[in-house]
Amino acid sequence: NCVAVASHRHGCCVLQRCIDHASEAQKVQLATEITFNALALVQDAFGNYVVQYILDLKVPRFSDAIIRRFLGHVYELSLQKFSSNVIEKCIRVAEPDTRRGLIAGLLDKERLPHLLQDSYANYVVQTALDVADPVQHMQLVEMIRPILPQIRHLPYCKRIQSKLQRNDYHGGGGGGHHGGPHHGGSHHG
């Protein structure tokens, strides 16, 4: 019943408490079930909090398994309200190899303009610029530069521009957008 419970306004909180109080074996079972259904849950108004909760446990074998479910789906998930927040978090907390895989999903000349012009996905691109390794950072910068004229009228363009001008690739902690109009803050509980 994991998906049904996780996708419910109150159920998602109950499931988080279950994870808190589970035995180690039960925790593994719950994390496995959530990982198996992560693609559906991450796009749900309540289920996305359950996915984030597993990431927040900071258990690499749980986190990495969940994040790997999103490889190959970064573009679509970045354009959606709930999943875009989770993709941002994944890019921040992923193991270096997995992070490179996620960012590779943004490095597409055809799709990047859509991401930069989208009110959710632009934050995913900004997060990628904050935490990418030097090689991918340069690839992003080189792909974004020609798109800047198309987005200069958008309110976040200046932030993106300043990230492009930054010479230090590991400034990190760019603050993200949490708490803005896009994110409802963390779920009660």
Side-chain angles (χ1 to χ4, degrees):
N1 299 314
C2 193
V3 174
V5 174
S7 306
H8 184 272
R9 178 184 299 277
H10 304 302
C12 68
C13 299
V14 173
L15 190 52
Q16 289 174 33
R17 294 302 74 78
C18 288
I19 294 164
D20 286 343
H21 299 289
S23 69
E24 203 45 46
Q26 289 171 325
K27 208 172 266 190
V28 169
Q29 269 185 294
L30 286 168
T32 302
E33 195 61 28
I34 291 161
T35 299
F36 186 73
N37 295 291
L39 266 179
L41 290 174
V42 78
Q43 298 174 67
D44 181 80
F46 304 109
N48 83 89
Y49 291 111
V50 175
V51 172
Q52 291 190 58
Y53 200 75
I54 297 290
L55 296 175
D56 290 339
L57 293 175
K58 295 184 170 51
V59 178
R61 64 192 169 126
F62 292 165
S63 305
D64 205 54
I66 277 203
I67 296 170
R68 285 182 175 279
R69 300 287 292 181
F70 306 137
L71 293 172
H73 303 279
V74 174
Y75 175 73
E76 311 87 271
L77 296 175
S78 295
L79 294 165
Q80 294 176 44
K81 180 176 183 174
F82 304 116
S83 52
S84 65
N85 272 311
V86 187
I87 293 299
E88 266 190 89
K89 180 175 278 193
C90 289
I91 290 172
R92 287 190 190 284
V93 305
E95 303 288 312
D97 276 356
T98 312
R99 176 183 293 132
R100 276 190 283 277
L102 292 172
I103 294 174
L106 303 171
L107 288 166
D108 179 317
K109 277 191 165 64
E110 302 300 306
R111 292 171 148 191
L112 194 58
H114 299 291
L115 294 174
L116 283 168
Q117 291 175 59
D118 183 79
S119 57
Y120 303 125
N122 84 85
Y123 290 109
V124 177
V125 177
Q126 288 187 49
T127 298
L129 280 167
D130 284 341
V131 299
D133 65 30
V135 172
Q136 281 191 321
H137 187 275
M138 273 318 299
Q139 292 173 320
L140 277 167
V141 167
E142 284 165 16
M143 271 193 191
I144 292 169
R145 276 224 170 90
I147 304 166
L148 282 176
Q150 297 169 45
I151 63 165
R152 67 172 181 272
H153 63 287
L154 297 170
Y156 45 79
C157 183
K158 279 197 174 37
R159 291 240 299 283
I160 291 171
Q161 238 168 337
S162 71
K163 286 177 198 285
L164 297 194
Q165 287 156 355
R166 197 166 43 94
N167 292 323
D168 119 69
Y169 300 120
H170 294 290
H177 68 285
H178 300 285
H182 165 56
H183 185 68
S186 70
H187 197 60
H188 51 270

